Amino acid sequence: LAEDQRWRMAFGEDRPIPVKLEKALLAAEDRRFRWHPGVDPLAVMRALVQNLKAAKRVSGASTLTMQAVRLMDPRPRTWTSKAWEMVRAVKLDLLRSKEDILRLYLTHAPYGGNVVGARAAALRFFGVEAEDITWAQACTLVVLPRSPSSVNLQSGRNELMKRRDNLLARLEKECILDDATLD
C-alpha cells in the first residue's frame, strides 16, 4: 500500500510493457495511438458529428494520451476541460515517447476500490506480474478502468465478462489472436 492507502505499482522503464496488455489496450481504446499527435482528428470529427446528430453527448474522442493527462490531473468533465486535455495531450506527445505515454496510462488507470495501475491490478486480482497474464486477464484489465466502481470482479461481474469476451472476439477478428488461443 502506498501512503494514500492505494495499491499502486509503477510501470517503470526497467520493465517492458506486456505485449498482450498493449495489444488489447490499443485495440480497445486507441487504434491510431502510434500515428496521431496526442489527439486523433478522425475521432474528434466522428464524435462531433454523432453528438450533433443526437443533440447530446453520445460519443467521445479521448485518446490514450488524453486519458493519461486526465488521470494525472483530474478535472470536471466540461468542454473547457476537454480542450485543456487536448492541448496537454499534444504537448505530452511532443515531449514523451509513445512507450512513456503507455506507461503513464498503465500506471495511473483506476481498477476499482484502492487499486491503481495495471501492475497492481494484475498482482491483486490474478496473483501474477503483468508480464505473465493471459489474454483473458489482459482484456479484463483493459475493460475494467471504463467503469471500475460499477463493473468489477465483485459486482457487475457478468457485464465485465461480456466486455472482456467482446474484446477477445475483436482481437481474434483483427488476427491478433488465433482460434485456439481464443478458445
Side-chain angles (χ1 to χ4, degrees):
L1 284 177
E3 286 182 20
D4 62 359
Q5 299 304 302
R6 294 180 184 247
W7 291 93
R8 179 183 292 120
M9 296 178 78
F11 254 105
E13 291 182 18
D14 59 324
R15 307 185 80 82
I17 295 172
V19 172
K20 293 173 186 169
L21 191 55
E22 179 178 348
K23 287 183 183 255
L25 182 62
L26 296 182
E29 294 291 334
D30 194 349
R31 292 179 188 189
R32 292 183 291 274
F33 174 74
R34 299 238 178 249
W35 296 280
H36 63 65
V39 175
D40 185 345
L42 296 173
V44 171
M45 292 306 297
R46 174 197 41 79
L48 187 61
V49 168
Q50 289 176 345
N51 293 338
L52 287 173
K53 280 184 180 178
K56 63 179 182 176
R57 183 174 173 247
V58 294
S59 179
S62 289
T63 62
L64 280 173
T65 310
M66 291 169 64
Q67 291 178 50
V69 166
R70 186 171 51 246
L71 289 169
M72 291 183 301
D73 189 7
R75 293 175 177 257
R77 302 295 289 262
T78 65
W79 289 106
T80 305
S81 294
K82 181 66 90 173
W84 177 86
E85 287 171 14
M86 291 172 138
V87 170
R88 293 287 310 263
V90 170
K91 183 178 178 182
L92 184 62
D93 201 78
L94 287 170
L95 297 175
R96 305 287 288 268
S97 71
K98 293 291 188 178
E99 299 305 312
D100 285 346
I101 294 167
L102 282 175
R103 285 178 201 290
L104 287 171
Y105 176 84
L106 291 169
T107 296
H108 294 284
Y111 286 91
N114 65 344
V115 181
V116 177
R119 274 190 72 207
L123 285 165
R124 184 93 166 124
F125 300 144
F126 307 124
V128 297
E129 274 287 354
E131 303 79 67
D132 300 322
I133 58 176
T134 66
W135 279 105
Q137 291 167 337
C139 289
T140 301
L141 292 179
V142 166
V143 300
L144 261 172
R146 289 185 186 164
S147 50
S149 60
S150 61
V151 178
N152 55 57
L153 295 170
Q154 286 76 38
S155 64
R157 191 178 183 95
N158 289 339
E159 180 63 24
L160 176 63
M161 289 172 46
K162 179 179 160 190
R163 291 179 187 183
R164 178 206 60 194
D165 293 348
N166 287 340
L167 180 53
L168 284 164
R170 186 180 325 155
L171 293 174
E172 191 258 348
K173 183 178 179 182
E174 293 177 8
C175 299
I176 294 171
L177 296 181
D178 58 28
D179 290 336
T181 304
L182 181 61
D183 287 343

